[in-house]
Amino acid sequence: RAELGFGAGLEYFSWIEATQPEVSERGWLRVFTVRARQARDAGWLLGYEGRFYQGDVAYRGATLVPPVVAVTGTTSYSGMRHEGQLRYRRPRLSGRYTDVYAGLGFEQWRRQLSVYQAEDYQLGYLRLGVDGDVSARGWFGGGGLKLPFHVSEDAHLDWIGMASNPPLEHKPDLS
């Protein structure tokens, strides 16, 4: 049997920047997920995981353009992630399993701070992980490492009156 699963839920988002004044964003995002895997009890198999999210969070920070003024408001987030996986499944007793996998993924999202200010992000990454059943009652778990190989941000600075809109490149970091 092939594994096909759908999910929906809430995820708490928290972001803090150590700046003066401090910038923070906190709130709930609605999340929808889809997961598909080939029908194999053991050996090599292919998998896919998708994630779609959207929500409004409380913003506490400051304006970017001098004079810097403290502000509060709402930031809207919307985004999606797609990840293809090559998995190796090792069966265990009672029909449970453990998978070791490598994934190649792409994520993009928009951070909308106001009608005039938005930021678009793109992330390409590799993931190594392990997951599986942890009980006969349907509980499962896993973990892994993610290494971005492409990270970019378009802050649309020209939308808020800046003379130019340079591409912002971030240093990929293991997570």
Side-chain angles (χ1 to χ4, degrees):
R1 67 176 166 76
E3 297 175 37
L4 180 62
F6 300 93
L10 295 174
E11 182 176 282
Y12 189 74
F13 178 83
S14 179
W15 176 269
I16 298 171
E17 292 180 14
T19 58
Q20 288 300 324
E22 181 182 85
V23 174
S24 67
E25 293 179 329
R26 292 185 175 96
W28 293 95
L29 302 177
R30 292 174 293 283
V31 180
F32 302 94
T33 59
V34 61
R35 180 177 82 175
R37 297 195 181 134
Q38 275 185 300
R40 296 233 169 94
D41 291 331
W44 294 101
L45 60 137
L46 297 175
Y48 165 80
E49 291 190 11
R51 182 174 180 271
F52 306 88
Y53 51 93
Q54 191 281 326
D56 298 323
V57 300
Y59 175 86
R60 192 186 61 162
T63 58
L64 292 176
V65 181
V68 175
V69 178
V71 295
T72 60
T74 301
T75 303
S76 296
Y77 280 88
S78 60
M80 64 181 150
R81 181 186 82 200
H82 301 282
E83 181 177 304
Q85 300 172 341
L86 178 61
R87 305 176 77 89
Y88 184 79
R89 176 163 291 172
R90 191 179 128 241
R92 296 190 323 217
L93 299 176
S94 306
R96 293 184 289 177
Y97 69 90
T98 299
D99 284 0
V100 175
Y101 66 91
L104 175 64
F106 175 77
E107 185 168 4
Q108 67 180 28
W109 69 95
R110 170 164 276 199
R111 178 179 180 236
Q112 187 80 40
L113 291 109
S114 71
V115 174
Y116 306 105
Q117 188 177 357
E119 299 172 350
D120 293 316
Y121 296 84
Q122 292 185 344
L123 172 71
Y125 64 88
L126 298 171
R127 182 192 310 267
L128 296 175
V130 62
D131 67 22
D133 294 355
V134 295
S135 80
R137 294 184 175 208
W139 288 93
F140 60 92
L145 297 172
K146 182 163 83 171
L147 179 63
F149 58 81
H150 168 76
V151 181
S152 70
E153 174 187 0
D154 183 351
H156 302 288
L157 297 176
D158 51 336
W159 292 6
I160 59 172
M162 299 286 189
S164 65
N165 185 37
L168 302 174
E169 297 292 331
H170 301 276
K171 177 186 170 203
D173 203 1
L174 187 65
S175 66

